[in-house]
Amino acid sequence: MTTVEPNKYVFKIEFLTKNCLLSYKGNILNYMSGLDLSCNNLTGQIPQSLGKLFAIHALNLSHNHLTGFIPVSLSNLSQVGSLDFSCNKLSGKIPLELVNLNFLEVFSVAQNNISGRIPSNGQFATFSISNYEGNPFLYGLRLEKNHTKVMDMPSASDETEGKWYEIDRASFFASFVATYCVFLLSFGVVSTSILIGEGDGFI
């Protein structure tokens, strides 16, 4: 009879995190802590209780049918490095409390119904615009020369504070002169026609 020592078994797992499907085996599994529930047709809201998984390093809920808001309680995941909520039906705003997640390297809410301003503090200042695409009512970042740049939503006051002298003066005067010339020519033609008509009446 042959006995196999427990440490002879080699376990291997695949885990989708930080937008990559990675394989792990060996002693590193003793230090891993993550939850991957992607592509499971899950419905309903994200449980507030997930915020109690304090030691978790990755949370992937992408490609499901989840609705509701992103729980503020997830800001308690102080060790998390990846949060992926992409391709769901989530709504509401991105909780500002998430900017306190100092180890967060990947954050994605692409293809949802998220609205409001994108946080620009902490790790959120490093994320690409692609992590937010597919949310038409989300604003705050734009892609410019391969870097992210903060862009404020235009306000009504911004639109009414414009001054007339901000218009290109050269274009304005050229347009004015052209219009004036056309007016004079039209006036001359009309006046000549009237005079000719009156002259014919005296014959």
Side-chain angles (χ1 to χ4, degrees):
M1 179 177 180
T2 304
T3 59
V4 180
E5 298 179 6
N7 58 4
K8 296 295 184 180
Y9 289 103
V10 178
F11 294 97
K12 179 181 178 180
I13 64 169
E14 290 185 343
F15 194 84
L16 183 62
T17 180
K18 300 181 180 180
N19 299 323
C20 297
L21 181 61
L22 304 175
S23 297
Y24 299 92
K25 64 180 180 179
N27 293 332
I28 193 174
L29 296 178
N30 297 326
Y31 305 98
M32 286 190 61
S33 178
L35 181 61
D36 182 4
L37 297 176
S38 61
C39 305
N40 276 289
N41 291 319
L42 298 178
T43 59
Q45 301 183 356
I46 300 175
Q48 292 278 351
S49 56
L50 288 181
K52 296 180 180 180
L53 302 176
F54 306 116
I56 200 171
H57 292 121
L59 175 61
N60 188 353
L61 301 177
S62 65
H63 295 86
N64 284 293
H65 305 286
L66 298 173
T67 57
F69 303 154
I70 298 175
V72 177
S73 62
L74 296 183
S75 61
N76 297 325
L77 306 180
S78 58
Q79 302 299 315
V80 74
S82 176
L83 290 175
D84 192 348
F85 307 112
S86 61
C87 300
N88 279 285
K89 300 177 181 179
L90 299 174
S91 57
K93 299 181 179 180
I94 299 174
L96 293 178
E97 291 81 359
L98 297 183
V99 301
N100 298 320
L101 299 176
N102 297 324
F103 296 102
L104 192 62
E105 297 180 20
V106 173
F107 177 82
S108 180
V109 290
Q111 307 303 325
N112 278 281
N113 296 312
I114 303 295
S115 59
R117 184 177 179 83
I118 300 172
S120 58
N121 299 329
Q123 293 296 95
F124 281 83
T126 66
F127 299 146
S128 168
I129 192 71
S130 61
N131 296 335
Y132 307 107
E133 62 185 6
N135 295 279
F137 300 105
L138 196 60
Y139 67 95
L141 291 176
R142 65 179 176 183
L143 194 62
E144 187 172 288
K145 295 181 180 179
N146 297 325
H147 295 284
T148 53
K149 179 180 179 181
V150 176
M151 180 179 64
D152 294 327
M153 172 179 282
S155 61
S157 60
D158 293 335
E159 296 176 359
T160 57
E161 288 178 357
K163 298 181 176 59
W164 70 272
Y165 54 75
E166 293 176 351
I167 301 174
D168 187 347
R169 292 189 176 185
S171 299
F172 174 77
F173 284 118
S175 177
F176 176 78
V177 170
T179 303
Y180 186 69
C181 291
V182 171
F183 171 76
L184 289 179
L185 290 173
S186 300
F187 182 77
V189 171
V190 172
S191 299
T192 302
S193 299
I194 293 174
L195 290 173
I196 292 174
E198 290 178 352
D200 293 340
F202 289 106
I203 297 175

